[in-house]
Amino acid sequence: EISACLVGSEMCIRDRSKEVPREISKWIVVRDFFLFMFMGSGANFVLPTALVQEVPYFENVLPEKLCIATYMNLMTSLGLLTMLTYLYINNFVYQIPYTISVPWMLITSSITSFIVAGVYDITIGNVSVLLYVCCFIGGSVGAMSSVIMNPFMTAYTNDNISAVRSGGSGFTLLCALIAAAQSPGSSHQTFSARIYLIIFGILLSLAIPAYYYIVTQKLGTRPPQINYHIQPVQPNKTSRINSVATASDNRTYLSLIHISEPTRQAEIS
């Protein structure tokens, strides 16, 4: 806190942020980008996208046949109900901290990939119930990413926010590329849907250590913001200006700057 500052003939005091810009190694930038990208992949619609890629195979082996894609999309869309439930609880019942909600999303996305790999072909009364449940869970994670990850990422720099979003887009593209190599449902399918989903379970699990490393090492956070509140100069006071400068870390550094004659004559507002 500054209680007063000097005004001399050609000098005045200006407050300055403690943070001094410094050059960041390009390897650190690359490392942070990939860490945030992997974290973003787990909080997205990657799992539902991976399941949709296997629809040609599911149509051949599951009892719903050609209708399987419609039912899968319906269950994925119902994930919106989970998001609405979360918003109600978070706003009116109990505010869930990000230390719980973010890891929950990342862990759920990975675990569900492994579960669906083992149960997608199990039916109850000629209905692929377990596959639909996994679609619903994947849709819930994707829908909740907008109301959990977006506010959570406001503490990080713009470059890292972009990296998180590119994680979802990049893994969505990866779903299509791996499926193209697999050729699901064709006579020359290279590997099973079970292996395909296990691959994505492993890839999505990388989001969990990436998140914990980012949080524990405090990577990519925004520098503290400084808000200045300076009282105007009183007409009858020329030797002392009562001013207050507040900072998020309550520490301020001072430096002297030269003020020209016209500026010194002008009223400070």
Side-chain angles (χ1 to χ4, degrees):
E1 177 178 339
I2 302 176
S3 61
C5 68
L6 285 175
V7 176
S9 60
E10 290 186 350
M11 293 289 186
C12 80
I13 292 182
R14 178 188 65 175
D15 44 329
R16 172 175 59 132
S17 171
K18 178 176 183 281
E19 295 294 325
V20 178
R22 60 186 180 87
E23 184 178 355
I24 301 177
S25 168
K26 63 180 181 180
W27 301 114
I28 294 178
V29 174
V30 172
R31 178 203 64 185
D32 289 356
F33 177 83
F34 278 100
L35 285 171
F36 280 92
M37 182 190 71
F38 280 117
M39 182 176 69
S41 67
N44 221 296
F45 285 97
V46 174
L47 176 58
T49 303
L51 290 172
V52 167
Q53 297 294 333
E54 296 301 302
V55 165
Y57 172 74
F58 292 153
E59 289 176 345
N60 293 334
V61 300
L62 295 179
E64 291 85 352
K65 299 300 180 180
L66 296 178
C67 293
I68 189 71
T70 301
Y71 301 146
M72 289 173 61
N73 286 329
L74 172 62
M75 295 306 298
T76 299
S77 300
L78 288 178
L80 178 65
L81 299 177
T82 305
M83 183 195 73
L84 296 176
T85 303
Y86 168 82
L87 288 175
Y88 176 80
I89 294 174
N90 196 57
N91 290 320
F92 300 107
V93 180
Y94 171 73
Q95 188 170 10
I96 304 172
Y98 294 129
T99 53
I100 295 177
S101 58
V102 175
W104 174 84
M105 280 198 309
L106 304 181
I107 293 172
T108 300
S109 184
S110 176
I111 290 179
T112 306
S113 296
F114 289 111
I115 292 175
V116 70
V119 304
Y120 71 83
D121 54 351
I122 299 177
T123 60
I124 301 176
N126 284 332
V127 178
S128 306
V129 176
L130 299 180
L131 174 62
Y132 298 147
V133 170
C134 292
C135 288
F136 173 76
I137 294 173
S140 299
V141 171
M144 292 180 64
S145 64
S146 61
V147 296
I148 294 178
M149 287 301 292
N150 287 354
F152 170 73
M153 287 302 300
T154 56
Y156 297 90
T157 62
N158 293 338
D159 290 341
N160 293 320
I161 293 175
S162 300
V164 166
R165 295 186 177 183
S166 68
S169 301
F171 271 60
T172 298
L173 175 61
L174 190 60
C175 289
L177 293 176
I178 296 179
Q182 178 199 16
S183 300
S186 66
S187 58
H188 54 279
Q189 181 171 321
T190 54
F191 51 89
S192 68
R194 186 165 282 109
I195 293 176
Y196 176 85
L197 295 170
I198 290 175
I199 290 174
F200 275 95
I202 295 172
L203 292 174
L204 292 175
S205 66
L206 297 176
I208 303 166
Y211 162 78
Y212 281 108
Y213 188 80
I214 289 169
V215 172
T216 56
Q217 299 299 317
K218 299 180 179 179
L219 301 180
T221 55
R222 295 180 183 273
Q225 301 295 314
I226 297 180
N227 299 318
Y228 303 103
H229 304 285
I230 302 178
Q231 297 178 356
V233 176
Q234 300 299 325
N236 60 346
K237 296 180 181 180
T238 58
S239 61
R240 182 176 294 270
I241 303 173
N242 294 323
S243 62
V244 178
T246 59
S248 60
D249 60 355
N250 294 324
R251 289 174 288 185
T252 305
Y253 284 70
L254 304 177
S255 63
L256 294 178
I257 61 171
H258 178 273
I259 290 186
S260 63
E261 184 66 23
T263 306
R264 189 168 62 252
Q265 298 277 338
E267 180 181 359
I268 300 176
S269 59

